[in-house]
Amino acid sequence: MSIRAGASTYAVGLPGKAASGPDLRYQATIGETARECDYNTDTHQIAIKVGIQVRVIVGPAGAPPTVEVPLRVAVVEDGVSSKTIATKAYTVTVNLSGDQGGTYSFVSSDIVYPAPQGGAADRYVFYIGFDPQALKPEPRARGKRR
């Protein structure tokens, strides 16, 4: 399992300010990780469990008592042109204890994908990381014009 380049930390600043220096509200980092794969011989699919420990530290600008942290888990077939096999975004709520910050252990067990054929399994990589896009609501469907 690998942490996606550029997605190992998630920093939040004051509204309209950069998440750095005195304007930093909080920063999350990925700590321990684990994965477990289970092959289903009937369906020829693989179900994975991914465990991620997230640590949140409070910045100089202070943080609310709870924060939402956006995580993404992806199974990718690496190669000349990478191919996403499965991906899932999660929003994890972390309770902070004052200036001490907080930790949260998250386990996803709802990712299933078809078993790779031949040597393709050697090219599969499990990526994890913070994904701020996961916090944005899905675009609303437009209604029919009358």
Side-chain angles (χ1 to χ4, degrees), residues 98-139:
D99 292 340
Q100 302 300 312
T103 58
Y104 184 84
S105 294
F106 169 75
V107 177
S108 83
S109 58
D110 58 351
I111 298 176
V112 178
Y113 60 93
Q117 301 296 314
D122 294 338
R123 296 187 302 272
Y124 277 32
V125 179
F126 297 87
Y127 285 113
I128 58 171
F130 294 108
D131 181 5
Q133 298 297 332
L135 289 178
K136 295 183 179 174
E138 293 292 321

Side-chain angles (χ1 to χ4, degrees), residues 77-104:
E77 182 177 359
D78 264 354
V80 174
S81 58
S82 296
K83 177 181 165 187
T84 301
I85 304 302
T87 184
K88 181 88 178 187
Y90 304 93
T91 301
V92 177
T93 302
V94 180
N95 294 316
L96 305 179
S97 102
D99 292 340
Q100 302 300 312
T103 58
Y104 184 84

Side-chain angles (χ1 to χ4, degrees), residues 9-13 25-29 54-57 63-72 90-96 102 104 106 129-137:
T9 61
Y10 174 67
V12 174
R25 295 200 71 200
Y26 60 92
Q27 179 173 308
T29 57
V54 175
R55 179 172 180 239
V56 179
I57 56 172
T66 61
V67 297
E68 289 187 341
V69 179
L71 291 171
R72 180 167 298 277
Y90 304 93
T91 301
V92 177
T93 302
V94 180
N95 294 316
L96 305 179
Y104 184 84
F106 169 75
F130 294 108
D131 181 5
Q133 298 297 332
L135 289 178
K136 295 183 179 174

Side-chain angles (χ1 to χ4, degrees), residues 39-74:
Y39 176 68
N40 184 318
T41 56
D42 294 333
T43 64
H44 303 289
Q45 292 191 327
I46 297 176
I48 63 169
K49 271 189 193 177
V50 175
I52 305 168
Q53 183 185 50
V54 175
R55 179 172 180 239
V56 179
I57 56 172
V58 177
T66 61
V67 297
E68 289 187 341
V69 179
L71 291 171
R72 180 167 298 277
V73 176

